[in-house]
Structures are given as structure tokens and as C-alpha cells.
């Protein structure tokens, strides 16, 4: 399964790139096609929402068709096709349509890899391996920062995205050729998504899954670019530097979270503590976000670092799932995690629009966005306090 996981990780690099590249493209898209920050936030939200909604059919497809066909088809038609639409965009709604397609195309990538790990390796190794895949795949997050900035400056944003579209189609073809499906589970047991939803233990984990990734993904995926441009007058190169810093912090956080459940003998309290620190950093950003360029960049990097708990949250939920429903189980968690970002991006877009019409100071509008992230994360932590700790 080594070659399978390698190519699925390469595919996940693209998924990470596509969820984060709008932060760098915000300025040229505003200049060329008149897309506002709120419109781009909504477009980013469509990526996450369609990605999330696809988790239900993706879960079924992984359990019945296998990861090879599921991943190759969606990546080629959705992500590759959507990137071509993006490169040809002339109106803001074209960006929304393209991001919707790309969200569909990326929806199976990480879950296909997690499905292979869950079905082919010991349960105790899941959190660490999931974190390694997520951490390596997050190179795409870095690629969507300063490297993309340089590429856009050299070739322009249209040609840059066209090249990424071609790379996506090549990776999709390699998925079809190289990926091997794990053996099917031979069991007489039947089950569906409804069986998973009847588990009380899962419902104490899902609210935190819904909100924990939203601050880091929302800031890195879009808001960090307009924030530093409007509040500090940052250049495109400076935005690229800050997004790269945040991307590196998110990768480091992923690798740090991965083995902690085995080292400390607890998943619940690793997750709770890390996300509590992330929530407090959101509060600090709300209170002091316009004080200094580099201190603000450091706070956002900290939010990215402590917001990287998704793999260990998946491991926490996965510990309650039966083998024959593993595909549906991990995609259910992914639905909440990615769907939460999509919902929050659309909510914050409306909050930002409402505030920006009432004030001349950009920081007030951005503070409203940060406050939404902070409050929802802390509420999710309150519910998670009652969850059952489990380390396989």
C-alpha cells in the first residue's frame, strides 16, 4: 500500500493548495474581474460546503467502489475541470462556480488515504499516520503562499492556474493507474450512516469538529490576505510571506498533534488543550490585531499551529466506528470538519459586509470576523468537555 499512500498524498497536496490559494489571488482578482473580499470569502465557502456535502456519497463510494475509481474520477472532472473554469473566469460568479467544482473534485482525496490507513494498518497507528499524510500534504498550503505569489508575478494568475489544472489532471490519471483498493470487509452485518448518527459518543465530538478547523482554514484560506492588505497596507510579496508563515505553522502543528495521544495516553485532553489555546489566540487577535505587523502574523501562525488538531479528532471519532462502516464514518467527520469551514466562511462574509458599511476603519470589520471564530470555537469546546476519552 506504500505506492497507494504516496500518490494519494500527492493528490492531497492539490487539495490543500486549492483550499488556500484565494488568499494570494485576492488582489489580482479584485483588480481584473472586480471580485470583492466578501465575494471571494463566499466562493471559498462554496468550496468547503460542496466538499462537505460530497462526504455522504464519497463515504458510500469508498465502502462500495473503493478509493481508486472514486478518487481518480472526482479529481479529474471536478478539480481539473474547475481549475480550467477558474483560469477562464471573467466575472466574480465564475470564481464561485469554479470553486464549487474544485470542492467536489477534492472531496475524496484525504478520506481515500484515511480509508486505506484505517483498513490496512493497526488502529493504534491511525492518528500518527493520519497526521503524517496531512502534514506532508500540507505542502500544498505552502505552494499556495509565496511560491504561487512568484508564479503569478511571472506568468499572471490565469496561466498559473491553467498550469495547476494540467498538473491536477496528471495526478488524477496516476491515481487511476497506481492506487490499489484494500480488500473488502467480509461481513454479514448491515449498516448505514444512520447507525453512526445514533452513537451518542459521536455527537459530543462532532460540534468541536464543526468549528475547530474554521479559524485556521478561514484565515489562511482567505482572510489573511485582505486583512494584511487593508490593515497594514501589505504588498503582495508581504502577504505571500505571512501566508507561508501560517502554512508552515499549520504543518508543524499537524506533526506535533499526531503522536501525542500515544505519548500522553489521552486524545481528549490533547485536543481540548490545543483548541483552547487556539481560541485564546483568536481572542488576543481580536483585542490587539492592529498593533504590529509581525506580532499579528505570529498570532495568526499560532492559530494555525493549534488549529491543526483535525487528524487526532478523526482518530477520536474513528475509534467508535465498526470496520464495515469505516468509509462512512471518516467521511462523516470530514463532512462536519470541512462543512464547518464552509458555513463559517459564508457567515463571516455576511458579518464583514454588514460591518464594513457601518465604519471607515477596516480593523473593525475584521475584528467582527475574528470574534465569530473565537466564540464558536469556545462553544464547541464546552460540548466536547462531556465526550468520552478513547485511545483504542
Amino acid at each position: 500500500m506504500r505506492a497507494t499512500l504516496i500518490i494519494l498524498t500527492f493528490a492531497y497536496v492539490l487539495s490543500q493548495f486549492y483550499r488556500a490559494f484565494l488568499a494570494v489571488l485576492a488582489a489580482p482578482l479584485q483588480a481584473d474581474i472586480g471580485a470583492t473580499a466578501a465575494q471571494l470569502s463566499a466562493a471559498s465557502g462554496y468550496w468547503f460546503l460542496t466538499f462537505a456535502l460530497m462526504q455522504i456519497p464519497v463515504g458510500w463510494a469508498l465502502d462500495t467502489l473503493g478509493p481508486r475509481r472514486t478518487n481518480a474520477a472526482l479529481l479529474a472532472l471536478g478539480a481539473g475541470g474547475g481549475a480550467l473554469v477558474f483560469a477562464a473566469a471573467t466575472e466574480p460568479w465564475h470564481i464561485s462556480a469554479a470553486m464549487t467544482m474544485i470542492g467536489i473534485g477534492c472531496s475524496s482525496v484525504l478520506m481515500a488515504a484515511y480509508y486505506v490507513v484505517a483498513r490496512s494498518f493497526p488502529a493504534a497507528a491511525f492518528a500518527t499516520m493520519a497526521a503524517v499524510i496531512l502534514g506532508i500534504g500540507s505542502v500544498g498550503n505552502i505552494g499556495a503562499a509565496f511560491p504561487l505569489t512568484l508564479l503569478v508575478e511571472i506568468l499572471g494568475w490565469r496561466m498559473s492556474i491553467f498550469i495547476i489544472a494540467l498538473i491536477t489532471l496528471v495526478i488524477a490519471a496516476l491515481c487511476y493507474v497506481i492506487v490499489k483498493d484494500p480488500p473488502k470487509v467480509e461481513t454479514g452485518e448491515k449498516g448505514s450512516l444512520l447507525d453512526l448518527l445514533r452513537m451518542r459518543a459521536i455527537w459530543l465530538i462532532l460540534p468541536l469538529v464543526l468549528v475547530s478547523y474554521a479559524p485556521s482554514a478561514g484565515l489562511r484560506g482567505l482572510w489573511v490576505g485582505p486583512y494584511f492588505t487593508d490593515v497594514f497596507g501589505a504588498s503582495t510579496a508581504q502577504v505571500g510571506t505571512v501566508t507561508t508563515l501560517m502554512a508552515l505553522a499549520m504543518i508543524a502543528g499537524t506533526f506535533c498533534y499526531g503522536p501525542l495521544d500515544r505519548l500522553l495516553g489521552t486524545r481528549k485532553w490533547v485536543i481540548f488543550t490545543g483548541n483552547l489555546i487556539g481560541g485564546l489566540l483568536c481572542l488576543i487577535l481580536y483585542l490587539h490585531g492592529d498593533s504590529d505587523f509581525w506580532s499579528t502574523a505570529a498570532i495568526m501562525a499560532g492559530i494555525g499551529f493549534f488549529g491543526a488538531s483535525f487528524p487526532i479528532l478523526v482518530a477520536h471519532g474513528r475509534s467508535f466506528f465498526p470496520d464495515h462502516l469505516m468509509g462512512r464514518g471518516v467521511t462523516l467527520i470530514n463532512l462536519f470538519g470541512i462543512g464547518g469551514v464552509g458555513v463559517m466562511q459564508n457567515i463571516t462574509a455576511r458579518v464583514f459586509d454588514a460591518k464594513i458599511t457601518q465604519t471607515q476603519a477596516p480593523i473593525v470589520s475584521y475584528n467582527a470576523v475574528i470574534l465569530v471564530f473565537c466564540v464558536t470555537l469556545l462553544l464547541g469546546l464546552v460540548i466536547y468537555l462531556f465526550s468520552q476519552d478513547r485511545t483504542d
Side-chain angles (χ1 to χ4, degrees):
M1 286 296 173
R2 181 179 299 174
T4 290
L5 289 178
I6 289 173
I7 193 61
L8 288 175
T9 302
F10 274 115
Y12 186 59
V13 170
L14 290 171
S15 179
Q16 282 282 349
F17 174 89
Y18 282 128
R19 74 184 59 185
F21 74 140
L22 278 181
V24 167
L25 296 180
L29 288 174
Q30 287 173 355
D32 287 358
I33 65 174
T36 67
Q39 287 173 323
L40 293 177
S41 178
S44 174
Y46 296 144
W47 188 98
F48 286 100
L49 284 174
T50 52
F51 187 113
L53 292 174
M54 282 295 296
Q55 295 311 299
I56 296 174
V58 163
W60 171 86
L62 290 176
D63 282 332
T64 55
L65 303 177
R68 181 176 71 94
R69 286 179 290 175
T70 301
N71 203 53
L74 289 176
L75 193 63
L77 298 175
L84 292 174
V85 171
F86 194 110
T90 57
E91 299 286 343
W93 72 266
H94 296 163
I95 301 298
S96 295
M99 292 300 289
T100 299
M101 291 178 64
I102 296 171
I104 292 171
C106 295
S107 61
S108 64
V109 176
L110 183 61
M111 291 303 101
Y114 282 6
Y115 179 83
V116 171
V117 172
R119 293 288 320 286
S120 306
F121 296 90
F126 184 90
T128 300
M129 293 189 69
V132 168
I133 292 169
L134 187 60
I136 296 174
S138 294
V139 169
N141 201 327
I142 298 175
F146 198 71
L148 178 61
T149 302
L150 295 178
L151 190 63
V152 169
E153 288 182 350
I154 295 170
L155 300 178
W157 67 271
R158 293 187 188 277
M159 181 56 67
S160 299
I161 301 305
F162 179 74
I163 291 171
I164 300 300
L166 295 182
I167 293 172
T168 303
L169 293 173
V170 170
I171 295 296
L174 290 175
C175 283
Y176 189 79
V177 172
I178 295 174
V179 170
K180 304 296 183 184
D181 295 332
K184 289 185 176 294
V185 176
E186 299 297 335
T187 177
E189 295 184 72
K190 300 296 182 182
S192 68
L193 185 62
L194 292 176
D195 295 307
L196 299 176
L197 294 175
R198 293 189 186 102
M199 296 180 179
R200 179 180 178 273
I202 297 300
W203 282 107
L204 295 173
I205 298 172
L206 289 178
L208 183 59
V209 176
L210 187 71
V211 298
S212 63
Y213 186 44
S216 55
L219 289 172
R220 173 60 192 90
L222 175 73
W223 290 111
V224 64
Y227 188 107
F228 277 88
T229 300
D230 293 342
V231 175
F232 295 108
S235 66
T236 302
Q238 287 175 316
V239 169
T241 300
V242 175
T243 53
T244 301
L245 177 65
M246 192 170 182
L248 289 171
M250 292 169 74
I251 294 172
T254 299
F255 281 112
C256 287
Y257 270 113
L260 284 180
D261 62 333
R262 287 193 291 174
L263 291 175
L264 301 178
T266 176
R267 284 194 181 124
K268 174 179 177 177
W269 296 112
V270 169
I271 293 166
F272 181 86
T273 303
N275 281 280
L276 178 60
I277 296 172
L280 294 176
L281 286 172
C282 285
L283 182 60
I284 294 171
L285 183 61
Y286 171 76
L287 295 173
H288 303 290
D290 61 343
S291 58
D292 175 74
F293 183 100
W294 288 112
S295 63
T296 299
I299 293 169
M300 287 197 180
I303 292 171
F305 181 92
F306 289 103
S309 62
F310 183 71
I312 195 170
L313 270 167
V314 175
H316 194 183
R318 175 233 169 270
S319 64
F320 296 97
F321 301 144
D323 284 343
H324 67 289
L325 293 176
M326 192 61 66
R328 291 172 176 85
V330 294
T331 52
L332 174 66
I333 295 176
N334 205 31
L335 185 157
F336 274 76
I338 299 300
V341 180
V343 170
M344 293 295 287
Q345 287 294 74
N346 279 276
I347 290 173
T348 52
R350 285 161 175 75
V351 168
F352 181 86
D353 263 352
K355 281 292 183 182
I356 205 168
T357 59
Q358 301 171 12
T359 178
Q360 295 290 323
I363 188 62
V364 175
S365 303
Y366 290 109
N367 275 346
V369 170
I370 302 302
L371 188 60
V372 171
F373 288 140
C374 180
V375 171
T376 53
L377 178 55
L378 294 177
L379 288 174
L381 281 170
V382 170
I383 298 172
Y384 186 73
L385 267 176
F386 299 94
S387 66
Q388 175 186 346
D389 200 359
R390 194 163 180 175
T391 54
D392 300 308

